[in-house]
Amino acid sequence: ALGKGSDLEKAFATVALVYNNYADPEGKLSKAETKSLLQTQFWHFIQGQENKPKYQEIISSLDEESENKIDFEDFMILLVSLTLMSDLLQEIKNVKTTK
């Protein structure tokens, strides 16, 4: 559907597809499933972040036993939060493109 979409549109469509592949029939993820998804699909962004207090806070909240599930909106907020604190983001910012 996004064959002619922009790179940014395709990136968000990919996030939605990956999320939907992990989500339950109600379109939500358990906290354990969310943690697993992040560790398998977002590894390069979270690698090396283990000692940062905000990262520990986010992961600790996913480790808590709770019936609360995460919807797509909360998942996107989580991704943005993890991306903003990532060392990889700084590396990406330092790359100069030739466009």
Side-chain angles (χ1 to χ4, degrees):
L2 283 176
K4 294 182 180 181
S6 70
D7 290 342
L8 189 56
E9 289 171 324
K10 289 175 185 176
F12 271 86
T14 299
V15 171
L17 287 170
V18 170
Y19 177 89
N20 286 335
N21 284 336
Y22 279 77
D24 66 17
E26 296 175 352
K28 295 186 178 187
L29 293 174
S30 72
K31 289 183 176 186
E33 291 167 328
T34 301
K35 185 176 178 181
S36 174
L37 171 57
L38 292 171
Q39 290 172 332
T40 58
Q41 295 288 327
F42 212 59
W43 185 81
H44 288 95
F45 276 89
I46 62 175
Q47 180 182 6
Q49 307 309 304
E50 297 84 6
N51 294 325
K52 293 183 178 180
K54 185 63 178 172
Y55 175 85
Q56 291 174 351
E57 178 185 324
I58 290 169
I59 296 303
S60 291
S61 72
L62 295 176
D63 285 335
E64 294 171 2
E65 288 299 319
S66 174
E67 293 297 317
N68 293 339
K69 291 190 174 188
I70 294 175
D71 61 17
F72 184 68
E73 180 179 331
D74 290 336
F75 181 74
M76 290 301 291
I77 292 168
L78 184 64
L79 278 186
V80 170
S81 298
L82 291 170
T83 300
L84 290 173
M85 76 175 77
S86 174
D87 296 332
L88 182 59
L89 179 62
Q90 191 57 48
E91 291 178 34
I92 292 168
K93 286 181 177 180
N94 291 334
V95 173
K96 301 291 182 196
T97 60
T98 57
K99 285 187 176 182

